[in-house]
Amino acid sequence: QVQLVESGGGSVQAGGSLRLSCAASGYTYSPYCMGWFRQAPGKEREGVAAIDRDGDTTYAPSVKGRFTISQDNAKNTLHLQMNSLKPEDTAMYYCAAGRGIGGYCYLERSFYNYWGQGTQVTVSS
C-alpha cells in the first residue's frame, strides 16, 4: 500500500521560508513523477512543482524562482523549499505520485493517483 506523508508546514511571515518534506513508502515500482500541489479555501487544487526520476523539474509560473523541488531517491523523500513566501501561497500543500506523458511531468491532478493528507502553510502579511 502506497503511503505519502507530508511534514514541514507551518506559519511564517511574508518573505520567509519553509521546507516541506514527503516520505514515501509501499511502492512496488517507483513512480515516474512526484509532485506538490496546493489548495486554498474555495479554490481548485493546483499544481506547484513536479520532478521526474531523472531530476528534471517543472514549476508553476507563480512559484518559479522562489520554490525548489528536490528528491532523495535513497530515502524515498521529496522536498519543496519555499523562499520569499507571499500571503497568496497560503494553502494546504499535498504530495503526489503519478505518471508522466512523453517523458514529461505535467502539473495536472489527473496524472497523479497517489496523494498524501496534506500539510498547512500559512503566510501572513
Side-chain angles (χ1 to χ4, degrees):
Q1 182 178 352
V2 175
Q3 279 194 318
L4 301 174
V5 180
E6 302 95 337
S7 61
S11 297
V12 65
Q13 289 191 327
S17 298
L18 283 173
R19 180 177 170 86
L20 305 184
S21 296
C22 172
S25 61
Y27 291 125
T28 300
Y29 299 101
S30 296
Y32 186 82
C33 298
M34 294 292 295
W36 288 98
F37 288 72
R38 67 186 181 187
Q39 187 167 17
K43 293 188 176 181
E44 295 288 321
R45 191 172 299 187
E46 63 176 0
V48 174
I51 187 168
D52 68 20
R53 288 179 189 164
D54 298 325
D56 293 325
T57 57
T58 304
Y59 293 95
S62 60
V63 307
K64 198 168 186 179
R66 299 189 297 123
F67 291 10
T68 302
I69 188 171
S70 62
Q71 60 189 356
D72 183 335
N73 291 328
K75 297 181 179 180
N76 289 331
T77 304
L78 182 72
H79 301 286
L80 184 68
Q81 178 66 43
M82 305 186 295
N83 298 328
S84 302
L85 282 162
K86 304 176 181 180
E88 50 263 44
D89 295 319
T90 295
M92 186 72 79
Y93 282 71
Y94 298 90
C95 172
R99 59 190 176 92
I101 300 295
Y104 185 80
C105 294
Y106 289 88
L107 294 175
E108 295 289 338
R109 292 177 58 181
S110 60
F111 294 140
Y112 295 81
N113 51 351
Y114 295 109
W115 295 85
Q117 293 301 305
T119 185
Q120 178 67 37
V121 171
T122 302
V123 184
S124 58
S125 57

